[in-house]
Amino acid sequence: MATLVRWDPFREIAQLQNDLGRLFSGNLGNGHGNGSDSRTWVPALDVWETDEELVYSFDLPGVPQDKIAIEFDDGALTVSAERERTEEVKQDRFYRFERRHGTFARSIGLPPGATEDSISADYKDGVLEVHVQKPKAPEPRRISIGSTPSESVTIEGKAAQSVTETQ
């Protein structure tokens, strides 16, 4: 007996989008079909700016806080984390592994003048927020022309005898 399925163009478009996403991410044709590959995962990142700071917000669901590292080096902020697969299911009825696991690292260039002391982080409900205080713009300095008598320095020394004087 044949089963009739009503054609839904939106379902077809969603399936095409899913297939193309897997194709471009490298999952299509790897023989697994279940997302179990050794590549790293990249969590979603939101960035916004306030008057005082830049905020970087990473979605890290299922990542314990002790598996997250934040490093600042040479003007770049690097966030890395590891999400482990907690349970391997060995049953005939488990069909897909779509949630990514493994490690990731992402580096972000910070504005010139940012220091380690201007960076703080907060981790709550699987979201890591890194706050970077905006560096203060250098203020122009007034430089005086010439020197005052109190600032002038006199250097004293002895002249060496010339060759003609010694002969």
Side-chain angles (χ1 to χ4, degrees):
M1 175 182 227
T3 303
L4 293 177
V5 177
R6 185 176 184 138
W7 182 67
D8 182 4
F10 296 109
R11 184 177 60 224
E12 298 293 326
I13 291 172
Q15 182 64 37
L16 176 64
Q17 183 181 13
N18 186 24
D19 290 344
L20 286 174
R22 288 188 306 141
L23 173 68
F24 289 118
S25 70
N27 283 342
L28 197 61
N30 64 1
H32 299 292
N34 60 6
S36 62
D37 57 13
S38 61
R39 293 179 306 118
T40 59
W41 59 283
V42 179
L45 168 66
D46 292 338
V47 180
W48 65 90
E49 179 179 15
T50 67
D51 290 337
E52 297 85 28
E53 64 185 3
L54 295 168
V55 181
Y56 302 91
S57 179
F58 294 85
D59 279 345
L60 301 175
V63 178
Q65 186 171 341
D66 62 341
K67 297 284 187 178
I68 300 171
I70 304 169
E71 298 176 2
F72 176 68
D73 184 34
D74 197 24
L77 180 75
T78 302
V79 176
S80 58
E82 180 179 3
R83 181 167 56 193
E84 299 174 346
R85 183 177 301 282
T86 57
E87 183 179 337
E88 189 75 28
V89 178
K90 299 286 185 183
Q91 295 177 348
D92 291 340
R93 296 194 181 265
F94 198 90
Y95 297 108
R96 297 181 69 91
F97 292 106
E98 289 189 353
R99 293 182 297 157
R100 291 283 186 166
H101 64 281
T103 60
F104 91 94
R106 188 160 185 179
S107 293
I108 301 165
L110 296 183
T115 63
E116 184 177 344
D117 296 332
S118 66
I119 301 170
S120 63
D122 184 37
Y123 186 62
K124 183 179 178 184
D125 297 331
V127 177
L128 173 68
E129 282 191 3
V130 180
H131 298 261
V132 180
Q133 295 292 320
K134 289 182 182 177
K136 301 236 187 254
E139 296 181 12
R141 294 183 335 176
R142 187 166 197 89
I143 299 172
S144 62
I145 300 173
S147 62
T148 60
S150 63
E151 294 176 0
S152 62
V153 177
T154 305
I155 299 174
E156 295 183 16
K158 294 183 179 180
Q161 290 182 343
S162 66
V163 176
T164 56
E165 291 178 10
T166 58
Q167 295 176 352

